[in-house]
Amino acid sequence: MKLWRTLNMLIVLAVLSVMPAGPASAQNGAAAAKAADRRPVLLISIDGMRPDAVLEADKYGLKIPVLRRFLKEGSHAQEVLNVNPTVTNPNHTTLVTGVLPAEHGIVNNRPFAPLAKLPKGFGSYSQIKAPTLWGAAKKAGLTTASIFWPVTRDAADIDFNLMEGSDEDDAKIAADAVALIEQKRPDFLTLHFVTFDHKEHEFGPFTPEAHASLERIDTAVGQVIAAQRKAHPNTVIVIASDHGFFTVTHQVNLNAAMVEAGFITLSSDPEPVVTSWRAFIWYVGGMAMAVLNDPEDQQTRAQLDAFLRKLAADPANGIERIYGREEIAGLGLSAEAESVVALKVGYRMGNAMTGPLVQPAKGGAHGAFSTRTLRPDMRSSFLITGPGIPAGKNLGQIDMRQIAPTIAGYLKVSLPSAKMPALSLGE
Ligand SMILES: [Zn+2]
């Protein structure tokens, strides 16, 4: 195991050493002055980390000294109002663009593909339709790097992008990040730790298995930030997450009901496959999005609306509310979403196309419909530290779209597509 790790590390180092060095920055006077107060930024995402995991670590018995030190030494948000759908790919893309999913194009974890058994996830960087922090940094002549950040496959804006191997080996991610920092000294580095999210899905949030995972990530983060501070004493370090989590008690197989009501037709041999559909429910998690095959089909629209509201009227079905087109306008959801089916706490959508509508289920989920007032369990985390950043400051509730312009400010790069104001950190 140890030898394997060492070999793997040598391979990474070899790959790094043959990669081209980052472009030299512009040499005119204005650029030089700007570069003088430029701050290198390390952005670490801990997938699925609720803010209370750090803020109330004692209550949960979590031993995460590195993350807790951020509360004392730096500033933090009480909670981050993230974007719908509250799942991984849309929120990670908002973290690096500062805009809503409808603007950056990553509108769910997977594109809408009702005929596919398991649609391919969003993954390619070219699917992002808005300018990113890596792109802005590259334009300014900075060196960019990333390890396992979602939706970055074939990203020309990232000079050193490590996406090979297992994304579940936190210690190796940390070792690779340290090597990258020491050898390439990137001005902007993004890291994604995903194992905590996987354990929360499997066992539920705030379980011993999930806690052990976050504690391992805490150690890994400690190693990375030590290397980063050594390489860049004036660095700004941001820890963020993409969404919260809830404990699952039931799953709701909405498309099984849609089949029974005649909106979806299945072939039955050898196993059920969708052959045609007039309306389909697009999986998210704690919510779902209803999609019409033909948006001009007013008859199906009316039938679908009546059908979903009838389902929602029976409390046993686990549906909190149906949000119609007018109610979800402006939230930045996919243009394909006709309505949102918001499920109750404890309920997530299931993907069965036949059988009962509601079944008992276990583990954890996210992706619930979240607003300023609904589902605080979906909120994400933000912690920031570095020289000059106020110590012990609670920023209250912040909007996730404020994070990218804040980072752009430290890097002294231009990201005009991000319209929300940068966070006020008293400098
Ligand atoms: Zn996630």
Side-chain angles (χ1 to χ4, degrees), residues 114-276:
L115 300 183
K117 193 114 187 83
L118 187 64
K120 271 178 79 169
F122 282 106
S124 170
Y125 187 69
S126 62
Q127 292 170 306
I128 301 177
K129 304 302 177 204
T132 68
L133 284 168
W134 302 291
K138 216 145 148 75
K139 257 193 199 149
L142 306 185
T143 303
T144 56
S146 182
I147 301 182
F148 288 125
W149 196 272
V151 204
T152 60
R153 204 169 56 238
D154 301 322
D157 288 333
I158 304 175
D159 296 315
F160 307 103
N161 192 12
L162 303 186
M163 299 278 279
E164 300 303 316
S166 167
D167 61 358
E168 291 213 315
D169 190 340
D170 303 317
K172 182 171 184 301
I173 292 173
D176 288 350
V178 169
L180 199 46
I181 290 164
E182 288 174 351
Q183 294 171 40
K184 299 298 168 189
R185 304 176 60 87
D187 302 290
F188 180 47
L189 169 61
T190 53
L191 297 185
H192 177 221
F193 288 102
V194 76
T195 46
F196 182 47
D197 169 274
H198 291 174
K199 296 295 179 198
E200 288 177 294
H201 276 295
E202 191 178 351
F203 299 99
F206 302 112
T207 54
E209 293 84 354
H211 284 183
S213 171
L214 187 59
E215 289 171 359
R216 280 192 295 272
I217 291 171
D218 187 77
T219 303
V221 168
Q223 291 160 359
V224 178
I225 66 177
Q228 175 75 1
R229 284 179 174 143
K230 200 170 156 208
H232 304 284
N234 66 337
T235 188
V236 169
I237 298 171
V238 176
I239 309 272
S241 70
D242 50 351
H243 51 72
F245 250 92
F246 65 90
T247 302
V248 171
T249 57
H250 295 84
Q251 68 175 20
V252 188
N253 301 308
L254 291 165
N255 280 323
M258 295 285 283
V259 170
E260 255 177 46
F263 291 103
I264 300 169
T265 310
L266 299 180
S267 75
S268 54
D269 198 43
E271 46 177 322
V273 174
V274 177
T275 51
S276 70

Side-chain angles (χ1 to χ4, degrees), residues 47-48 86-89 92 109 192 194 197 201 242-243 245 366:
D47 204 300
T86 51
V87 294
T88 301
N89 289 343
H92 274 88
N109 272 346
H192 177 221
V194 76
D197 169 274
H201 276 295
D242 50 351
H243 51 72
F245 250 92
H366 48 89

